[in-house]
Amino acid sequence: MTLPIVAYGDPVLRKVGKEIDEQYPQLDELLTNMWETMYNANGVGLAAPQIGLPIRLFLVDTTPFADDEDLSEEERKKLNGFKKAFINAKIEKEVGEEWTFNEGCLSIPDIREDVKRMDTITVSYLDENFKEHTETYDGLLARVIQHEYDHIEGILFTDKLSPLKKRLLKGRLNNISKGKIEVDYRMRFPNLKKGR
């Protein structure tokens, strides 16, 4: 089932997610719905807060980047078929050079900005079977994970922009929260004026 994606301005996007355990109700169904929601919106990642749940869960599927001619053959191979659920993730360390990449977010449609992030991360997490993993990723894989990880920490990519950029985007962000935007997937807008 495709779920509505929560738009910028909703308080749930600012909450630090709570850890979950194997008893979390209907987790399999939730994961199925989240994958469906993400693919329906042409996303490469989706975090639980973006569907209104303040829990430490996000999904990543970087396969769409595998067709990007601007990336090296090696990077495209890494991205192709990379599909994982991350439960109770914790970034253990971020190292390497800071690099800039143009990011967008399903909760902030039609806004893309350059964001600086560290090149390499080590992340510990549980998979959908609650098996523990600690893995190191770099490049675009690391970036997609960092972006989704920020969601479970209550952080949005727009928080990483300069004060000037944030001021310039303020009107557009307010319009998103009011639903004054065209999107081709279901969304829930926090400040939508109800019809009379």
Side-chain angles (χ1 to χ4, degrees), residues 2-63:
T2 309
L3 306 166
I5 290 174
V6 172
Y8 179 89
D10 193 301
V12 73
L13 295 174
R14 294 304 185 181
K15 289 192 166 114
V16 175
K18 290 189 172 19
E19 292 202 347
I20 61 170
D21 61 23
E22 291 165 80
Q23 272 63 60
Y24 191 82
Q26 279 120 23
L27 183 59
D28 288 345
E29 188 185 335
L30 173 62
L31 286 165
T32 301
N33 292 343
M34 282 180 69
W35 286 117
E36 198 177 310
T37 301
M38 182 182 94
Y39 292 132
N40 179 62
N42 296 314
V44 292
L46 183 70
Q50 293 181 275
I51 55 155
L53 298 174
I55 57 173
R56 297 186 79 76
L57 164 64
F58 62 85
L59 313 174
V60 168
D61 184 348
T62 57
T63 306

Side-chain angles (χ1 to χ4, degrees), residues 57-113:
L57 164 64
F58 62 85
L59 313 174
V60 168
D61 184 348
T62 57
T63 306
F65 284 127
D67 300 329
D68 189 334
E69 299 291 326
D70 295 336
L71 301 172
S72 71
E73 184 64 35
E74 182 193 350
E75 179 111 55
R76 284 166 35 193
K77 269 199 187 96
K78 270 196 259 182
L79 295 162
N80 192 22
F82 183 90
K83 178 181 172 176
K84 284 186 189 227
F86 291 78
I87 297 171
N88 301 343
K90 181 172 190 318
I91 290 184
E92 304 293 347
K93 64 179 184 204
E94 297 179 294
V95 294
E97 297 285 309
E98 254 195 352
W99 64 294
T100 302
F101 188 80
N102 196 257
E103 292 188 22
C105 178
L106 296 177
S107 292
I108 311 175
D110 274 1
I111 291 182
R112 298 192 64 84
E113 291 294 336

Side-chain angles (χ1 to χ4, degrees), residues 176-195:
I176 291 170
S177 72
K178 292 174 186 161
K180 294 182 180 173
I181 184 143
E182 290 292 314
V183 275
D184 53 8
Y185 50 88
R186 284 175 68 202
M187 287 196 82
R188 192 177 90 204
F189 300 100
N191 300 323
L192 185 65
K193 294 281 179 273
K194 303 280 182 270

Side-chain angles (χ1 to χ4, degrees), residues 58-182:
F58 62 85
L59 313 174
V60 168
D61 184 348
T62 57
T63 306
F65 284 127
D67 300 329
D68 189 334
E69 299 291 326
D70 295 336
L71 301 172
S72 71
E73 184 64 35
E74 182 193 350
E75 179 111 55
R76 284 166 35 193
K77 269 199 187 96
K78 270 196 259 182
L79 295 162
N80 192 22
F82 183 90
K83 178 181 172 176
K84 284 186 189 227
F86 291 78
I87 297 171
N88 301 343
K90 181 172 190 318
I91 290 184
E92 304 293 347
K93 64 179 184 204
E94 297 179 294
V95 294
E97 297 285 309
E98 254 195 352
W99 64 294
T100 302
F101 188 80
N102 196 257
E103 292 188 22
C105 178
L106 296 177
S107 292
I108 311 175
D110 274 1
I111 291 182
R112 298 192 64 84
E113 291 294 336
D114 287 345
V115 177
K116 283 186 171 150
R117 294 188 190 272
M118 299 296 256
D119 174 65
T120 306
I121 60 166
T122 300
V123 61
S124 58
Y125 67 96
L126 303 169
D127 64 22
E128 60 275 16
N129 302 310
F130 284 82
K131 274 185 58 177
E132 285 184 39
H133 302 269
T134 300
E135 292 159 355
T136 299
Y137 298 106
D138 61 8
L140 210 44
L141 270 184
R143 176 171 293 270
V144 174
I145 293 166
Q146 285 164 310
H147 177 107
E148 298 309 324
Y149 181 81
D150 279 353
H151 276 299
I152 63 171
E153 291 290 326
I155 299 166
L156 298 170
F157 84 92
T158 47
D159 299 342
K160 299 186 177 291
L161 304 175
S162 71
L164 174 63
K165 262 279 188 275
K166 284 186 204 163
R167 270 205 309 278
L168 293 172
L169 289 173
K170 194 170 183 207
R172 288 172 67 194
L173 291 168
N174 284 339
N175 282 343
I176 291 170
S177 72
K178 292 174 186 161
K180 294 182 180 173
I181 184 143
E182 290 292 314

